[in-house]
Amino acid sequence: MLVPALSATMTLGPREVRHLKVLRVQVGDTLRVFDGHGHEALAVVTVLDDTRAELELGGALAGVPETPYPLTLAAALLKGDKLAEVVRAATELGVARVALLITARADVREIGAQKLQRLSRIAAEAAKQSRRAVVPVVMEPTPLHALTWEGHLYVAQPGAVNRIMDVLDWTAPVTVLTGPEGGLTDAEVTALTTRGAQPVTLGPRILRAETAPVALLGAIAALGR
Amino acid sequence: MLVPALSATMTLGPREVRHLKVLRVQVGDTLRVFDGHGHEALAVVTVLDDTRAELELGGALAGVPETPYPLTLAAALLKGDKLAEVVRAATELGVARVALLITARADVREIGAQKLQRLSRIAAEAAKQSRRAVVPVVMEPTPLHALTWEGHLYVAQPGAVNRIMDVLDWTAPVTVLTGPEGGLTDAEVTALTTRGAQPVTLGPRILRAETAPVALLGAIAALGR
């Protein structure tokens, strides 16, 4: 259960109460609570009525393992609800941050404040469902050339020779980048590799823009981190 | 473009014509055509009116690479439209066959003929989009214990020690198996491993039932096949 902050007594509102009821939680039950910033603990439900719940903090708890360094997904903007699905799966697969990109061939070039909020809410829900103590941050879209990263950047690129399992280096933060429907332009890929990005293959078939991030993050998760 | 069979002259109906118009195809253009059974060729559009198109076969064409042996996804039945998304992504990621499974914890235990047809149509569309010459076959649901396979079966299992990249063996057909929401039961996993299945990890976090197949097939594709 996501709470604003871990404290001795925590009060939850109607939305969380609805979630508790769906989970068939009752007074006296013990839950995991987390603050979305990496802190997680056990708490006991002491009050549960129709609109309000109170929890009392129990002991600290080892959270679900996070990646050795933060993992960022940098993904080109996508149409409709595709981004929501990508954010949800990326959260399960361990990302700490989603950077949204405006690229040459992206047919979406902006995103409303409301939609951005909705994506953050989806990240929070998905973090809760997969019991992660970290809620990924979904950042406002930036043009590709303005993207900055720490550590290593791997860009999914059809025809690339390197495989993620051969080049992935977890001694620093990791960013994986996937393009829009139609792909990144050659100029965009060159600009990225000039800045140190490493192209990686996702196999011989062309993937949709919403499948590529899940496939690439899936490969990283399947490596065990 | 999917056609019933490769022949010297091929006639297409209204549905295909709509697709050609979306793609802005005109008379004289050359297209890839394929029959869904691994045969692919080039064809020239000779007639294109509102409801009917004619194509003339050109030379044969090297298709998009297929896996060394057929790849099967065996996935527990899922609710609602989740199966559609799984079939679509699995097709992009190279499967030749989708086996639907009835498992102990699957909250869906059957699927109507219409829905099965719809899944086959989605596989055909996805094969076309990703330019595969093979359209995956979506099979009628079978109970898990009745599943048979040739070659190797890898089952996604939380807590497994082996990684797919360490055990994947492409000298025979490959099947990957993913469970329902809530997972396979211990008895189900034991029954599979007794029959030779190898459990593999998808990382330390629990994935939703619809994310696991994409992550696992993504890892296999990222290995380069």
Side-chain angles (χ1 to χ4, degrees):
Chain A
M1 172 71 41
L2 182 63
V3 295
L6 298 190
S7 56
T9 306
M10 292 160 288
T11 306
L12 303 178
R15 172 183 291 222
E16 287 77 21
V17 167
R18 270 199 305 278
H19 185 64
L20 291 175
K21 302 229 157 152
V22 169
L23 297 175
R24 306 201 177 189
V25 166
Q26 302 188 324
V27 169
D29 285 355
T30 299
L31 302 177
R32 281 162 183 259
V33 290
F34 60 96
D35 65 0
H37 300 288
H39 307 114
E40 192 174 10
L42 293 176
V44 177
V45 181
T46 52
V47 176
L48 180 61
D49 60 31
D50 283 349
T51 57
R52 185 175 145 277
E54 273 191 18
L55 309 182
E56 272 182 27
L57 203 63
L61 187 81
V64 170
E66 292 292 327
T67 50
Y69 282 87
L71 174 60
T72 298
L73 169 65
L77 284 175
L78 299 173
K79 266 193 209 160
D81 242 22
K82 294 174 180 175
L83 269 184
E85 276 313 302
V86 168
V87 166
R88 201 186 302 274
T91 302
E92 294 169 53
L93 291 163
V95 306
R97 211 171 65 133
V98 178
L100 300 173
L101 300 176
I102 301 160
T103 68
R105 293 200 188 120
D107 47 8
V108 185
R109 311 204 65 85
E110 53 179 3
I111 186 173
Q114 241 184 345
K115 189 148 184 193
L116 195 63
Q117 263 183 2
R118 183 164 171 264
L119 292 177
S120 297
R121 209 159 54 231
I122 284 169
E125 281 169 16
K128 181 157 61 177
Q129 278 196 340
S130 53
R131 300 197 179 171
R132 287 186 58 195
V134 171
V135 173
V137 177
V138 182
M139 303 172 70
E140 271 189 62
T142 50
L144 179 58
H145 64 81
L147 176 73
T148 57
W149 66 88
E150 280 184 86
H152 304 293
L153 187 138
Y154 304 100
V155 50
Q157 183 61 9
V161 175
N162 281 329
R163 310 181 305 170
I164 185 71
M165 42 285 286
D166 299 327
V167 293
L168 183 65
D169 176 0
W170 266 129
T171 64
V174 166
T175 299
V176 296
L177 194 155
T178 56
E181 216 57 54
L184 299 170
T185 65
D186 290 348
E188 285 174 329
V189 175
T190 304
L192 286 168
T193 54
T194 303
R195 295 172 64 200
Q198 298 181 66
V200 292
T201 180
L202 291 178
R205 290 159 297 274
I206 302 291
L207 306 181
R208 280 178 307 155
E210 63 265 41
T211 306
V214 185
L216 182 48
L217 293 169
I220 290 175
L223 280 162
R225 297 305 179 83
Chain B
M1 175 71 40
L2 182 63
V3 294
L6 298 190
S7 56
T9 306
M10 291 160 288
T11 306
L12 303 178
R15 173 182 290 224
E16 287 76 22
V17 166
R18 271 199 304 280
H19 185 64
L20 291 175
K21 301 231 157 148
V22 168
L23 296 175
R24 307 200 178 189
V25 166
Q26 301 187 325
V27 168
D29 285 354
T30 299
L31 302 178
R32 280 161 184 260
V33 290
F34 59 97
D35 65 358
H37 299 288
H39 307 113
E40 193 174 11
L42 294 176
V44 177
V45 181
T46 51
V47 176
L48 181 61
D49 60 34
D50 284 347
T51 58
R52 185 176 145 279
E54 274 191 16
L55 309 181
E56 272 183 26
L57 203 63
L61 186 80
V64 169
E66 292 291 326
T67 50
Y69 281 86
L71 175 60
T72 298
L73 169 65
L77 284 175
L78 298 173
K79 265 192 209 163
D81 242 23
K82 294 174 180 176
L83 269 184
E85 277 313 301
V86 168
V87 166
R88 201 185 302 274
T91 302
E92 295 169 53
L93 290 164
V95 307
R97 208 171 66 133
V98 178
L100 299 173
L101 301 176
I102 302 160
T103 69
R105 293 200 187 118
D107 47 7
V108 185
R109 311 204 65 84
E110 54 179 2
I111 187 173
Q114 240 183 345
K115 190 150 183 192
L116 196 63
Q117 262 183 2
R118 184 164 170 263
L119 292 177
S120 297
R121 208 160 53 232
I122 284 169
E125 281 169 17
K128 181 157 62 175
Q129 278 196 341
S130 52
R131 300 195 178 170
R132 286 186 60 195
V134 172
V135 173
V137 177
V138 182
M139 303 172 69
E140 271 191 63
T142 52
L144 179 58
H145 65 80
L147 176 72
T148 57
W149 66 88
E150 279 184 88
H152 305 293
L153 186 138
Y154 304 101
V155 50
Q157 183 61 8
V161 175
N162 281 330
R163 310 181 305 171
I164 185 70
M165 44 284 288
D166 300 326
V167 293
L168 182 65
D169 176 0
W170 267 128
T171 63
V174 166
T175 299
V176 296
L177 192 154
T178 58
E181 217 55 56
L184 298 171
T185 64
D186 290 349
E188 285 174 329
V189 175
T190 304
L192 286 168
T193 54
T194 303
R195 294 173 65 201
Q198 298 182 65
V200 292
T201 180
L202 291 178
R205 290 159 298 273
I206 303 292
L207 306 182
R208 281 178 306 154
E210 64 265 42
T211 306
V214 186
L216 182 48
L217 292 169
I220 291 175
L223 280 162
R225 298 307 179 83

